[in-house]
Amino acid sequence: MLELVAAFICLTTLLTYVNYRFIGLPPAIGVMVTALLFSLILQGLSLVGFPGLEERVEGLMNQIDFNDLLMHWMLAFLLFAGALHVNLSDLRSYRWPIGLLATLGVLIATVVIGYLAHWVFALFGWQVPLIYCLLFGALISPTDPIAVLGALRTANAPKPLKTTIVGESLFNDGTAVVVFTVLLGIIQLGETPSMADTAILFAREAIGGVVFGGLIGYATYRMIKSVEQYQVEVMLTLALVIGGSAMCYELHVSAPIAMVVAGLIIGNLGRNLAMNDMTRRYMDGFWELIDDMLNALLFALIGLELLLLPFNWMHLAAGGVLALAVLLSRLLTVAPAIVLLRRWRPVPKGTVRVLTWGGLRGGVSVALALSLPLGEERDLLLSITYIVVLSSILVQGLSIGRVVRKVSAQP
């Protein structure tokens, strides 16, 4: 285990340095690009008769349970760090578009993408059952909070747009995981759960995550308020994330949602009422460092996954078509929500365009695809998911800043 951790920390650091020194892309995306180039170089060396290094890296990658690493540990840290800097009053102001997109939007996108995927797979000669296509729709529907936060960090988006995109991405994982779990249960058990069972699952995961996150967040806030020692206060937040995540999985509630709620409490109540200037400075510095390091590691792992996935030109073509289908489904879910919202409050011009283009997919989708049961369908969906995620991060992630600036410049 120590060898594995050391290898990937050193490799990620090297990739981060290469991007910063020679490429100059936004940090997370740049690390992923350098990891992709590294993977392609290893494959090239293998083709010309030097397979040793590629086999060594593949061996290390095979030791990593990407789904467990991201969904059970990294995601909790990244979501908590992201939520620390979200203003709760802003989030409350845009609760309706966020709520619609994070719940109904995920359900609509799941169905739209699922049926489009069924048609595209048949077009390429793959007979994939509809239930697996809907499962693909569920895992690719949620916008990825890590990718979204990383892309918007350098894009000077207006507050309404930024709050809506970030808020949606922080909360839609709960809905997506419930939908994914229900569909996966149908495949594994061979029967459709009742509406009551589905409602109980949603209440336990999503609502339970909100309640539990609120409890541990408020308890930590009270503890922070009772001391004036920044080392202790930072350690309390670290224990909140590590211990809180472990407890979430024991209680079967949504750890991502719990960490978002806890992060909002610490970032608003804790920052304003319980911390002095020195604590705020150290708290921000610590969690920004954690956020940057884990982002770099995650995107490096996404880039290196190329070594493990079977690809051919048909996968690339189908993935490209489905990437467009995902964008279409995003437009179909965003536009009605914004049109409905305009009945009650003014909405900036270009909102639909920015929300559509800013709906990035990322590591969460890859992690969910890796949890699919073994078989031909899993291999196909995993490869397609990877291509869609890469195209989303590289195309949308690198151009969202230009889209935001263009919309902001309009009168």
Side-chain angles (χ1 to χ4, degrees):
M1 176 58 75
L2 182 59
E3 178 189 3
L4 183 65
V5 172
F8 277 100
I9 288 178
C10 291
L11 180 58
T12 301
T13 303
L14 179 61
L15 295 174
T16 304
Y17 172 80
V18 169
N19 173 63
Y20 183 82
R21 181 70 176 80
F22 300 106
I23 301 177
L25 291 174
I29 298 177
V31 170
M32 190 187 74
V33 170
T34 54
L36 283 170
L37 293 174
F38 180 69
S39 299
L40 292 172
I41 290 171
L42 291 182
Q43 291 178 340
L45 289 174
S46 181
L47 289 174
V48 298
F50 300 96
L53 186 55
E54 182 185 11
E55 292 174 355
R56 180 62 173 164
V57 175
E58 283 185 6
L60 291 172
M61 289 292 296
N62 281 321
Q63 296 179 46
I64 298 175
D65 187 336
F66 189 96
N67 177 267
D68 181 69
L69 178 65
L70 176 59
M71 299 301 291
H72 290 183
W73 296 108
M74 292 178 67
L75 190 57
F77 282 89
L78 291 164
L79 290 178
F80 181 83
L84 277 178
H85 301 287
V86 175
N87 188 293
L88 195 56
S89 62
D90 291 341
L91 205 63
R92 194 180 297 115
S93 299
Y94 303 101
R95 61 187 178 275
W96 286 111
I98 291 171
L100 285 172
L101 292 172
T103 53
L104 189 60
V106 172
L107 295 174
I108 294 173
T110 296
V111 175
V112 172
I113 295 172
Y115 277 93
L116 286 174
H118 192 252
W119 177 77
V120 170
F121 290 148
L123 187 66
F124 281 85
W126 297 314
Q127 301 305 315
V128 181
L130 179 60
I131 187 65
Y132 274 95
C133 296
L134 292 172
L135 202 58
F136 171 74
L139 67 87
I140 207 69
S141 292
T143 56
D144 188 275
I146 303 160
V148 167
L149 287 167
L152 289 181
R153 190 170 296 166
T154 55
N156 190 24
K159 182 183 287 187
L161 292 178
K162 188 172 183 178
T163 302
T164 301
I165 295 175
V166 171
E168 175 206 0
S169 67
L170 288 173
F171 284 103
N172 62 15
D173 287 337
T175 305
V177 168
V178 171
V179 175
F180 181 86
T181 303
V182 169
L183 293 173
L184 190 59
I186 294 173
I187 292 175
Q188 294 174 333
L189 300 177
E191 59 183 24
T192 303
S194 66
M195 289 295 293
D197 290 337
T198 304
I200 291 172
L201 176 63
F202 180 81
R204 187 182 65 196
E205 285 280 342
I207 300 176
V210 170
V211 173
F212 184 69
L215 289 173
I216 60 176
Y218 185 76
T220 305
Y221 152 69
R222 297 296 301 180
M223 294 171 71
I224 290 174
K225 193 174 183 180
S226 67
V227 297
E228 288 291 338
Q229 186 71 24
Y230 71 85
Q231 295 97 330
V232 176
E233 295 172 74
V234 172
M235 287 179 66
L236 283 170
T237 60
L238 184 61
L240 163 65
V241 175
I242 296 175
S245 298
M247 292 175 67
C248 283
Y249 292 106
E250 290 295 325
L251 297 172
H252 300 288
V253 301
S254 173
I257 291 179
M259 290 305 107
V260 169
V261 173
L264 289 172
I265 292 173
I266 300 299
N268 288 269
L269 284 179
R271 181 185 300 278
N272 296 328
L273 303 177
M275 299 180 191
N276 56 36
D277 290 339
M278 180 176 289
T279 298
R280 291 190 196 100
R281 186 166 62 252
Y282 277 98
M283 187 77 71
D284 289 343
F286 175 80
W287 282 105
E288 284 172 12
L289 180 61
I290 292 291
D291 187 36
D292 290 341
M293 289 176 63
L294 290 182
N295 259 305
L297 181 59
L298 172 61
F299 279 81
L301 288 172
I302 292 175
L304 292 171
E305 280 287 320
L306 180 66
L307 294 171
L308 303 180
L309 298 178
F311 282 110
N312 58 42
W313 290 108
M314 289 183 65
H315 287 121
L316 292 173
V321 173
L322 284 170
L324 295 176
V326 169
L327 269 177
L328 174 62
S329 75
R330 177 70 176 170
L331 176 63
L332 293 176
T333 55
V334 164
I338 299 305
V339 170
L340 186 64
L341 182 64
R342 282 198 173 108
R343 294 177 178 269
W344 290 281
R345 62 187 306 162
V347 177
K349 288 184 178 180
T351 296
V352 172
R353 196 185 321 165
V354 174
L355 287 177
T356 300
W357 200 251
L360 276 67
R361 274 63 182 180
V364 172
S365 295
V366 176
L368 289 175
L370 284 166
S371 69
L372 292 170
L374 296 176
E376 293 181 1
E377 291 87 358
R378 177 188 183 272
D379 294 340
L380 174 61
L381 294 184
L382 182 56
S383 297
I384 297 298
T385 299
Y386 188 78
I387 294 168
V388 172
V389 166
L390 284 186
S391 63
S392 175
I393 294 173
L394 292 177
V395 178
Q396 295 168 241
L398 288 175
S399 58
I400 184 63
R402 290 195 294 273
V403 173
V404 169
R405 288 191 292 272
K406 185 176 180 180
V407 168
S408 300
Q410 293 179 349

